[in-house]
């Protein structure tokens, strides 16, 4: 370890920028040892202050008390070793030490009160306000549950003057809101926090902590959307910060109470050390408490045997960890209560352990690994809701017939309930007629869970029973249904059609005799059309497919020819609807999207008119899909909304996901991003429910991230896009979608002030786009990466990215973009450790050459102006009086470039007036710095003259120019 003071000081500064955690703490300890060996008393103070800082922002807060006592002793013995900056730090850290003691149950309450009193005494002697002292007293009183003392401390805190020792505004507002929330005043808490949440006041740990604290108050006040946004934004902020276990616990609790248990498990898995880090027992108790809440919830939902993340060394299940976390949390609470002499902390923990979900489901927009199927939970009996479990067989039969006659999708469940009750009733089974037994078999065969072979046999059984019951028409229809099922077997469509052909002739004959109903005849005709559709699906080549399509069209038209005249007089609406759907399929196959959409719409209208909207759902969904492809947004939106409404009880999870996504995309295409994000969230949720997170869910989250970005909600967008990125691959989703996701994520991270991470994503996207035939996106991404790397002061990397972008712009013939890259490369060249002014001049000269064309005068002017700025920026010191003074020469040369810029802006046209006057003002400042007051004032007056006649307040740029003119005049007068 070096004992050189300068080396140690630089190492202390470098360590301050390292991530929180034991590694940073260990380096601080080694640097302290080096400072001790150096013999430099002031350096020792700096090293102790640094050690306190890193301990405070880590999981080892219990280590901060000893170095602080040592620092305080040094102050008492040798105050001269403390410069003003270190003196400020000493008194500032008194607050950290005093407030942190309440989280350490091994520190006696008397010692805490003594340190609080010592802080008050020393602040008073140093002339500091008591504001920070009273805030510290509030924290002690809150911890003890002494609300009377806490209220008095709060009042005194707010009444005291703010001074240099007061906590920052953001931290104070956090504490003010927390006090209101503790008193059950959620609205008042949220009001207090709003300046922090809106970015008016921030600090190193805010709004991180306030975002977490606001989650449950937002839910309790009915603002679930805002709570979701705060979770997405806030967890991204606290995730990399080891010291924020308390806030992480609040995010876990939020997820556990909003139906997001899988997300909560992923948060637990992010930092396994949180289960055992003991440096802050108070936050450990909070973390274990919410862990128990989550595990109890999982166990209650039937996931007690689910493997879960927990303390290392044990394979945890939810049930095991629930017991362990509860035991440890209560044990820690008991230690605090023993120290405090009351039961307040234990009561708080038990109240938290008893919390119940605030929402059954709140889609977050980020994917979490789904939970395994519940274990040990009995499957609910399937009974129609209208019958009730205690209904007798006669009641069940009546309900089954009613639902069958209505063509309701619950008819199958009703007939299953009849079969179960008949089987349970023993002798009562004889009450079922042959026709009823046929209906039971018929509907059993229609169950999607029954294998095709069993279903075909059930249809044949139903046919025999219908025949026995004297319903010959339904018997033929059941046989046709069995034949259709055979057509679904690979290569069996032709055989099935041969089997159906005589059934068609037979049912038509029965209808002529008055024995078969129109519904039964049309049912057989529909089965034939379905078999033709299967033949189309199974066709091996284009020719056979075209023949099958033509046959399907003919079969569908035969259904319509028979059934349409019977609409309103027989129960044939579903047959007509299905036939129209087949014709729509044919149109879609032939590429006639408008005709397909119109036919699907007609199919839906038929069953809606027959009061059977559940059958319309599929056609409305197809209408929405095709209309969206045709950019008929109005039709697509209307159809999607109807499908969601009509399928509210019958749609599968995957069907819901697709409809919500269609609707979201239509709304997004028409600029209604707020509503689009809601449907994208629902789409992602239902995709997860359907087990399609990585496919359909990825598409929904991709779109959601883009719309959130459009809405200016960059933090939420980044969280969603980061979560979806691992699911995306060029093979599954296409490289265009991968590039767009990376592009959007870079945009979001750049907005959030994370330029290095933004550059990484843009460069990944650029590497994919490198292989595309059209290279504009490649060039744009390389330039964006260069901009971000420039902002991050990663100069070598920025230079390479801009060089790459410039080569691409040159190849594309985009001279203005090429010139921009050259100008930025010039600025990079004069940064520390890089080639310098000579290289910068060369880049600017090259940019000038590129912009020589008559249509590029504005770009040339920008190059001249930036050359002037660069020359003035690069020189060291103010211009001297001597003619050969380097700074004076640089300013004179810069002035020449500004004049050339102004002339080029004039040539470029009046639309560049504002840029022309900006150059004029730059010239005025240069003249003033060169000591030429008259010239400076003349140039400033020319700027005013350019805007003569423009009233004040009419144009913000004009107002800004006039204000700067006054600044020039004031500067000249002062000089």
């Amino acid at each position: 370890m070096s004992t050189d003071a300068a080396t140690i000081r630089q190492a202390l500064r470098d360590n301050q920028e390292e991530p929180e955690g034991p590694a940073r703490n260990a380096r601080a300890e080694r640097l302290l040892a080096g400072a001790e060996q150096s013999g430099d008393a002031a350096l020792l103070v700096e090293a102790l202050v640094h050690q306190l800082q890193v301990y405070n922002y880590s999981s080892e807060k219990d280590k901060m008390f000893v170095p602080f006592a040592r620092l305080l002793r040094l102050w008492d013995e040798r105050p001269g070793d403390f410069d003003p900056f270190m003196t400020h730090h000493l008194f500032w850290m008194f607050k950290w030490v005093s407030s942190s003691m309440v989280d350490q149950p091994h520190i006696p309450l008397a010692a805490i009160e003594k340190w609080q009193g010592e802080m008050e005494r020393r602040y008073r002697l140093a002339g500091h306000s008591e504001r920070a002292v009273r805030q510290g007293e509030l924290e002690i009183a809150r911890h003890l549950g002494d609300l009377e003392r806490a209220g008095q401390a709060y009042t005194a805190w707010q009444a005291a003057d703010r001074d240099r020792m007061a906590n920052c505004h953001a931290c104070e507002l956090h504490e003010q809101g927390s006090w209101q929330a503790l008193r059950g005043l959620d609205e008042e808490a949220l009001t207090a926090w709003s300046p922090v949440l809106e970015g008016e006041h921030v600090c190193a740990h805010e709004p991180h902590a306030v975002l977490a604290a606001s989650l449950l108050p937002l839910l309790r006040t009915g603002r679930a959307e805002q709570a979701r946004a705060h979770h997405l934004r806030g967890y991204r902020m606290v995730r990399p910060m080891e010291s924020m276990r308390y806030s992480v616990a609040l995010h876990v609790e939020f997820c556990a109470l909003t139906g997001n248990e899988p997300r909560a498990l992923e948060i637990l898995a992010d930092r396994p050390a949180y289960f055992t880090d003991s440096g802050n027992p108070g936050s450990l108790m909070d973390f274990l408490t919410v862990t128990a809440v989550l595990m109890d919830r999982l166990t209650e939902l039937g996931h007690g045997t689910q493997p879960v993340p927990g303390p290392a060394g044990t394979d945890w299940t939810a049930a095991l960890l629930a017991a362990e976390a509860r035991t440890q949390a209560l044990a820690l609470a008991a230690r605090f209560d023993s120290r405090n002499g009351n039961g307040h902390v234990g009561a708080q923990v038990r109240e938290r352990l008893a919390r119940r979900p605030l929402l059954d489901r709140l889609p977050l927009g980020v994917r979490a690994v789904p939970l395994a199927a519940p274990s040990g939970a009995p499957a609910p009996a399937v009974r129609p809701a209208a019958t009730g479990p205690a209904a007798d067989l006669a009641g069940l039969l009546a309900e089954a017939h009613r639902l069958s006659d209505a063509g309701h999708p619950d008819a199958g469940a009703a007939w299953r309930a009849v079969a179960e009750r008949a089987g349970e009733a023993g002798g009562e089974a004889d009450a079922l007629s042959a026709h009823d037994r046929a209906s039971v078999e018929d509907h059993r065969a229609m169950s999607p869970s029954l294998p095709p072979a069993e279903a075909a046999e059930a249809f044949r059984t139903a046919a025999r029973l219908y025949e026995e019951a004297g319903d010959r028409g339904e018997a033929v229809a059941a046989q046709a249904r069995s034949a259709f099922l055979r057509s679904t077997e690979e290569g069996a469509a032709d055989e099935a059609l041969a089997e159906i052909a005589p059934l068609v002739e037979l049912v038509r004959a029965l209808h002529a005799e008055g024995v078969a109903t129109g519904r039964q005849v049309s049912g057989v005709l529909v089965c034939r059309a379905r078999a033709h559709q299967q033949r189309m699906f199974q066709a091996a080549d284009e020719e056979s497919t075209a023949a099958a399509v033509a046959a399907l069209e003919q079969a569908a038209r035969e259904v319509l020819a028979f059934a349409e005249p019977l609409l309103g007089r027989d129960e044939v609406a579903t047959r007509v609807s299905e036939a129209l759907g087949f014709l729509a399929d044919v149109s879609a196959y032939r590429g006639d999207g408008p005709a397909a959409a119109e036919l699907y719409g007609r199919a839906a209208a038929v069953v809606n008119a027959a009061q059977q909207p559940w059958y319309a759902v599929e056609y409305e969904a197809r209408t929405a899909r095709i209309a969206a492809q045709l950019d008929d947004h109005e039709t697509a939106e209307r159809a999607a909304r109807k499908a969601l409404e009509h399928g509210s009880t019958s749609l599968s999870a995957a069907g819901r996901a697709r409809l919500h996504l269609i609707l979201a995309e239509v709304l997004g295409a028409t600029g209604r991003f707020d509503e689009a994000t809601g449907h994208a969230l629902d789409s992602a949720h239902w995709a997860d429910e359907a087990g399609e997170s990585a496919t359909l869910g990825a598409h929904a989250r991709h779109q959601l991230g883009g719309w959130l970005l459009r809405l200016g909600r960059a933090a939420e967008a980044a969280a969603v896009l980061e979560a979806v990125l691992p699911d995306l691959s060029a093979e599954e989703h296409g490289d265009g979608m991968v590039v767009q996701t990376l592009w959007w994520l870079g945009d979001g991270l750049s907005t959030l002030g994370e330029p290095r991470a933004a550059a990484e994503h843009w460069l990944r996207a650029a590497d994919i786009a490198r292989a595309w035939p059209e290279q504009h996106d490649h060039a744009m991404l390389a330039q964006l990466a260069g901009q971000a790397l420039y902002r991050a002061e990663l100069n070598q990397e920025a230079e390479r990215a801009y060089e790459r972008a410039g080569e691409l712009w040159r190849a594309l013939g985009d001279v203005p973009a090429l010139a921009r890259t050259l100008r930025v490369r010039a600025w990079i060249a004069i940064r520390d450790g890089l080639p310098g002014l000579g290289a910068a001049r060369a880049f600017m000269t090259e940019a000038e050459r590129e912009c020589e064309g008559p249509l590029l005068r504005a770009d040339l002017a920008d190059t001249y102006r930036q050359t002037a700025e660069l020359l003035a920026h690069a020189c060291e010191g103010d211009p001297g009086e001597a003619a050969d003074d380097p700074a004076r020469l640089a300013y004179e040369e810069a002035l020449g470039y500004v004049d050339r810029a102004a002339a080029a802006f004039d040539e470029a046209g009046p639309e560049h007036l504002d840029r022309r006057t900006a150059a004029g003002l730059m010239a005025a400042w240069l003249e003033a710095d060169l000591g030429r007051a008259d010239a400076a004032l003349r140039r400033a007056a020319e700027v005013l003259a350019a805007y003569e006649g423009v009233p004040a307040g009419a144009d913000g740029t004009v107002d800004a120019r006039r204000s700067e003119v006054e600044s020039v005049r004031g500067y000249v007068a002062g000089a």
Side-chain angles (χ1 to χ4, degrees), residues 302-376:
H303 300 286
T305 58
Q306 165 97 19
V308 294
T314 300
D315 293 329
W316 295 99
T317 65
L320 287 174
L321 188 55
E324 177 70 12
R326 175 182 286 98
T327 299
Q328 289 193 33
L330 290 171
L332 281 167
R335 288 180 60 197
F336 281 110
D337 285 343
S338 176
R339 190 268 306 274
N340 298 341
N342 62 31
H344 176 68
V345 174
Q348 283 189 312
V349 169
R350 282 186 286 273
E351 182 275 328
R352 202 170 187 180
L353 287 168
R355 286 179 182 171
R356 303 295 302 157
L358 295 171
L359 291 173
D360 291 334
R361 177 179 71 89
L362 177 62
L364 298 178
V366 290
R367 179 188 176 189
V369 177
L371 298 172
S375 58

Side-chain angles (χ1 to χ4, degrees), residues 531-789:
H532 278 295
Q533 186 182 48
Q534 290 299 313
R535 184 163 164 258
M536 178 185 75
F537 293 154
Q538 297 170 18
D541 53 49
E542 189 173 338
E543 183 179 352
S544 56
T545 300
V549 169
L552 172 60
E553 180 179 18
Q554 178 60 33
R557 293 198 183 283
E558 288 189 34
V559 175
L560 289 178
F562 175 81
E564 271 194 310
L566 300 178
L567 276 174
R569 295 187 289 109
D570 208 339
E571 297 169 355
V572 295
T574 58
R575 317 308 193 195
V576 172
S577 179
E578 193 167 353
L580 289 167
F582 289 142
L583 292 177
D585 293 343
V586 168
S587 294
Y589 168 78
R590 291 172 175 163
D592 190 347
E598 190 269 335
L599 285 163
Y600 285 135
R602 284 177 56 194
V606 168
V607 284
N608 279 325
Q611 304 300 308
Q612 295 175 305
W614 44 85
Y615 288 119
V617 173
E618 180 60 28
Y619 304 122
E620 288 162 343
R622 294 182 189 182
T623 302
R625 186 162 55 248
I626 291 181
Q629 293 168 357
L630 296 171
D631 291 330
D632 181 357
H633 299 134
E634 183 179 350
T635 299
E637 179 183 351
R638 182 172 59 251
R641 290 190 189 279
K642 285 184 177 178
L644 284 168
E645 176 191 350
H646 295 155
S648 59
T649 60
S650 60
L651 272 170
S652 66
R656 288 179 191 278
R658 289 185 177 86
L659 280 168
H660 279 295
L661 183 56
I662 290 171
L663 184 52
E665 290 175 339
V666 168
L667 293 165
T670 53
R672 288 170 286 173
F673 301 117
D674 265 322
E675 192 177 359
T677 59
H679 286 286
L681 281 164
D682 283 330
S683 177
H685 166 77
W686 288 111
D688 291 345
E689 292 288 307
E692 295 191 29
S693 296
T695 51
L696 184 55
H699 282 278
R701 291 184 172 92
H702 162 79
Q703 295 283 31
L704 173 62
W707 291 323
L708 288 168
L709 200 61
R710 291 286 296 270
L711 289 167
R713 293 154 64 178
E716 297 168 66
V720 170
L721 294 168
E722 285 171 341
V724 77
L725 201 54
D727 287 332
L728 299 183
S729 68
E731 297 74 22
E732 179 69 30
H733 304 90
D735 55 10
M737 184 171 167
V738 177
V739 166
Q740 184 63 79
T741 302
L742 288 165
W743 196 324
W744 280 337
L745 182 51
D747 289 345
L749 294 172
S750 180
T751 301
L752 294 171
E754 301 177 36
R756 184 170 191 160
E760 290 174 1
H761 293 298
W762 280 328
L763 286 172
R764 279 184 61 191
D767 286 341
I768 298 171
R770 186 194 298 272
W772 293 357
E774 209 291 312
Q775 287 289 284
H776 183 274
D777 284 345
H778 181 195
M780 193 68 232
L781 286 161
Q783 182 148 329
L784 287 170
Q787 291 172 4
L789 292 164

Side-chain angles (χ1 to χ4, degrees), residues 22-357:
R24 184 170 74 155
N25 294 357
R27 282 190 293 271
E29 291 162 2
R30 291 195 297 272
L31 291 170
L32 175 60
E36 290 171 330
Q37 295 171 26
S38 73
D40 187 325
L43 179 61
L44 176 60
V45 169
E46 289 182 46
L48 281 167
V49 165
H50 175 69
Q51 190 176 68
L52 274 163
Q53 288 174 323
V54 299
Y55 281 158
N56 184 62
Y57 295 115
S58 78
S59 61
E60 298 180 305
K61 292 189 79 166
D62 56 336
K63 290 185 175 182
M64 66 191 298
F65 304 110
V66 172
F68 180 75
R70 182 180 177 187
L71 194 63
L72 197 59
R73 186 169 65 252
L74 287 175
W75 166 262
D76 288 338
E77 294 172 355
R78 298 171 57 95
D81 293 341
F82 291 72
D83 63 20
F85 189 62
M86 289 298 112
T87 300
H88 174 82
H89 270 297
L90 172 68
F91 281 90
W92 186 268
M93 289 175 174
F94 223 125
K95 300 180 297 182
W96 295 355
V97 173
S98 178
S99 61
S100 295
M101 286 182 175
V102 297
D103 288 324
Q104 305 291 335
H106 69 280
I107 299 180
L109 184 58
I112 296 173
E113 297 285 11
K114 177 184 174 183
W115 273 96
Q116 179 67 17
E118 185 68 9
M119 176 183 171
E120 181 176 3
R121 183 182 72 81
R122 288 179 179 267
Y123 269 43
R124 184 171 60 252
L125 291 174
H128 298 311
S129 165
E130 67 169 9
R131 188 176 182 91
V133 175
R134 298 283 78 85
Q135 184 177 352
E137 183 182 4
L138 169 63
E139 293 173 12
I140 294 172
R142 284 186 54 184
H143 173 75
L144 296 173
D146 187 345
L147 296 187
E148 181 178 354
R149 179 186 176 189
Q152 294 169 351
Y154 181 88
T155 301
W157 166 36
Q158 295 301 293
D161 293 334
R162 281 189 58 83
D163 67 352
R164 294 177 65 244
M165 284 301 117
N167 283 329
C168 76
H169 282 290
C171 291
E172 282 206 339
L173 290 168
H174 182 185
E175 184 68 19
Q176 290 172 25
S178 297
W179 168 244
Q180 303 296 351
L182 176 68
R183 298 165 62 212
L185 304 174
D186 288 334
E187 289 287 358
E188 288 79 354
L190 293 167
T191 299
W193 289 329
S194 62
V196 181
L197 296 171
E198 293 165 8
E200 182 179 342
H201 298 296
V202 297
C203 69
H205 285 69
E206 296 295 355
H208 317 46
V210 165
L211 285 164
S214 70
L215 294 172
L216 295 192
L218 285 169
L219 289 177
R220 289 192 293 258
T221 54
R223 282 170 273 197
E225 298 291 323
Q226 195 174 349
R228 172 178 49 234
H230 285 198
H231 167 67
L232 294 177
R233 177 184 170 199
Y235 185 64
R236 278 195 81 253
M237 300 177 86
V238 301
R239 182 179 181 181
M241 304 178 76
E242 187 195 52
S243 64
M244 301 204 72
R245 178 167 58 184
Y246 172 77
S247 293
V248 170
L250 291 171
H251 285 281
V252 172
E253 185 177 34
F254 164 79
C255 292
L257 300 180
T258 56
N260 288 290
E261 296 84 6
R263 168 74 167 172
L265 289 175
E266 290 190 351
I267 294 174
L268 291 187
D270 279 343
R271 279 197 178 268
Y274 274 174
F275 287 103
T276 52
D277 285 341
S278 58
N280 186 340
S283 74
L284 175 60
M285 178 180 68
D286 290 324
F287 188 77
L288 291 169
T289 300
V290 300
T291 297
V293 171
L294 171 61
M295 298 305 147
D296 283 345
R297 181 67 182 149
L298 289 170
T299 303
E300 180 181 335
L301 293 172
H303 300 286
T305 58
Q306 165 97 19
V308 294
T314 300
D315 293 329
W316 295 99
T317 65
L320 287 174
L321 188 55
E324 177 70 12
R326 175 182 286 98
T327 299
Q328 289 193 33
L330 290 171
L332 281 167
R335 288 180 60 197
F336 281 110
D337 285 343
S338 176
R339 190 268 306 274
N340 298 341
N342 62 31
H344 176 68
V345 174
Q348 283 189 312
V349 169
R350 282 186 286 273
E351 182 275 328
R352 202 170 187 180
L353 287 168
R355 286 179 182 171
R356 303 295 302 157

